[in-house]
C-alpha cells in the first residue's frame, strides 16, 4: 500500500483546501521543494502534486514550484501531477521534465477523445482522477456535478489504457472524516487497473482499513490534510502499511 503525500500548489506555495474551496486555503509551506524532501525523508515512495491554480485556469500555472520539486527529488522517485492538463503538448513537457505520471481529470470527462490520444501517445504515464459525490462524477474543480456514474466512466477509461484511477470522495476531502472505503472497494472490484483512494483520510485506522482491502485492487492512498495537521504520522503510517501488507 503506497501512502502518497499530496503537495497542493497555490501561487507557488504548499497549501491545503477544504472541499476544493480556493477561499479556504491553509498555507503549510512557502518552499514546496523542501516540503517534498521532508516527505521523502519520512519514507514516501511517490508524491502527488496538484496545480490548484492550473485546475481553475485550465492551463498550468505553478511551473517553477513543480520544476523545483522534480529537481529536488530526482529521477528515482515517481511524481504524479494533476491540475490544468488539457492538451498533449503539456503532457509531453511534463514527462520530458521528469514527471512520471500526469493526472487528467475534468478533461477526461469532457473530452474523452483527448484522453484516448494521451493514452496512445504516452502509454504508462496517464492516470485519470475521478472526483465524485454520491457516485456521480464532478468536474471543474468540483463545481459541476455530472450525470455520469463513476464505475461506468472508469471502465471506459480502463479500455483506453489508463494506468490507474484516483478516486476522490469530494464530500470528505479535507474534512478528516475517513476514507469512503465501501465506494473505493466497489470501484476497484469493477476494474482490473489499480485504484488510488483519496479524500477524507484521517488516522491510522483508515490506513489499516485500506490495507485490509488492498487485494481488491487498491494500490495506494493520497495523504493530505491529516499528515499536515499531525492527525496522522506519515512515517509510522507507511511503516504500519508495510508491516500489514509486506
Amino acid at each position: 500500500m503506497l501512502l502518497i503525500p499530496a503537495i497542493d500548489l497555490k501561487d507557488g506555495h504548499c497549501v491545503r483546501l477544504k472541499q476544493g474551496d480556493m477561499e479556504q486555503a491553509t498555507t503549510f509551506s512557502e518552499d514546496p521543494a523542501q516540503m517534498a524532501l521532508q516527505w521523502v525523508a519520512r519514507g514516501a515512495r511517490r508524491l502527488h502534486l496538484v496545480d490548484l491554480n492550473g485546475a481553475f485556469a485550465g492551463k498550468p500555472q505553478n511551473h517553477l514550484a513543480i520544476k523545483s520539486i522534480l529537481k529536488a527529488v530526482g529521477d528515482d522517485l515517481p511524481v504524479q501531477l494533476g491540475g490544468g492538463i488539457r492538451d498533449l503538448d503539456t503532457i509531453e513537457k511534463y514527462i520530458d521534465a521528469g514527471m512520471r505520471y500526469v493526472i487528467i481529470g475534468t478533461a477526461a470527462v469532457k473530452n474523452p477523445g483527448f484522453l484516448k490520444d494521451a493514452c496512445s501517445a504516452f502509454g504508462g504515464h496517464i492516470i485519470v482522477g475521478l472526483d465524485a459525490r454520491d457516485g456521480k462524477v464532478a468536474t471543474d474543480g468540483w463545481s459541476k456535478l455530472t450525470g455520469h456514474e463513476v464505475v461506468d466512466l472508469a471502465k471506459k477509461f480502463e479500455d483506453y489504457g489508463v494506468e490507474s484511477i484516483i478516486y476522490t470522495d469530494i464530500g470528505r476531502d479535507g474534512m478528516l472524516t475517513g476514507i469512503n472505503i465501501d465506494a473505493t472497494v466497489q470501484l476497484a472490484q469493477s476494474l482490473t487497473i489499480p485504484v488510488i483512494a483519496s479524500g477524507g483520510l484521517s488516522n491510522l485506522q483508515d490506513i489499516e482499513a485500506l490495507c485490509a482491502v488492498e487485494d481488491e485492487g487498491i494500490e495506494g492512498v493520497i495523504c493530505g490534510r491529516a499528515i499536515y495537521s499531525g492527525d496522522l504520522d506519515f512515517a509510522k503510517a507507511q511503516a504500519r502499511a508495510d508491516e500489514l501488507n509486506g
Side-chain angles (χ1 to χ4, degrees):
M1 176 69 63
L2 277 176
L3 274 58
I4 310 172
I7 299 177
D8 290 0
L9 301 167
K10 179 176 183 278
D11 305 330
H13 300 156
C14 174
V15 306
R16 293 302 300 165
L17 305 185
K18 277 192 176 180
Q19 294 192 298
D21 186 349
M22 289 285 270
E23 299 303 315
Q24 294 193 64
T26 303
T27 300
F28 284 99
S29 173
E30 295 185 0
D31 187 345
Q34 189 59 40
M35 181 60 72
L37 289 174
Q38 281 188 37
W39 296 127
V40 174
R42 294 176 194 177
R45 297 196 284 268
R46 189 189 293 194
L47 295 175
H48 175 80
L49 311 185
V50 182
D51 182 347
L52 292 171
N53 302 100
F56 283 86
K59 58 184 179 181
Q61 300 288 316
N62 283 281
H63 307 276
L64 292 178
I66 291 164
K67 284 183 178 179
S68 71
I69 290 170
L70 290 173
K71 184 178 180 181
V73 302
D75 296 333
D76 294 335
L77 189 93
V79 180
Q80 59 193 42
L81 168 74
I85 298 170
R86 305 281 195 273
D87 58 71
L88 297 178
D89 284 345
T90 298
I91 296 173
E92 185 172 23
K93 286 175 183 173
Y94 277 136
I95 291 174
D96 286 347
M99 191 69 63
R100 183 76 58 89
Y101 305 106
V102 296
I103 303 161
I104 303 175
T106 292
V109 181
K110 290 187 166 183
N111 187 0
F114 160 59
L115 178 65
K116 202 169 189 177
D117 290 345
C119 289
S120 177
F122 306 104
H125 294 283
I126 306 299
I127 293 173
V128 165
L130 289 178
D131 307 325
R133 189 191 301 276
D134 300 325
K136 302 289 187 183
V137 172
T139 62
D140 299 279
W142 305 351
S143 63
K144 297 177 182 176
L145 205 59
T146 72
H148 296 295
E149 295 284 345
V150 172
V151 170
D152 294 341
L153 272 186
K155 284 181 176 178
K156 181 165 83 168
F157 297 157
E158 178 180 43
D159 290 341
Y160 290 176
V162 302
E163 187 70 11
S164 56
I165 301 284
I166 296 174
Y167 172 65
T168 303
D169 184 324
I170 62 177
R172 300 186 183 215
D173 189 78
M175 304 303 288
L176 300 175
T177 52
I179 292 280
N180 190 335
I181 301 276
D182 291 345
T184 306
V185 167
Q186 183 183 358
L187 178 61
Q189 288 175 335
S190 70
L191 304 171
T192 58
I193 57 173
V195 170
I196 297 171
S198 175
L201 180 72
S202 59
N203 53 40
L204 194 59
Q205 285 70 40
D206 286 335
I207 299 297
E208 292 173 341
L210 281 168
C211 286
V213 294
E214 183 175 13
D215 289 346
E216 301 292 349
I218 300 171
E219 176 182 44
V221 57
I222 308 295
C223 305
R225 182 169 290 273
I227 59 172
Y228 287 94
S229 66
D231 289 86
L232 182 70
D233 182 308
F234 180 83
K236 288 181 179 177
Q238 183 62 76
R240 178 62 175 150
D242 292 344
E243 178 187 335
L244 288 170
N245 293 94

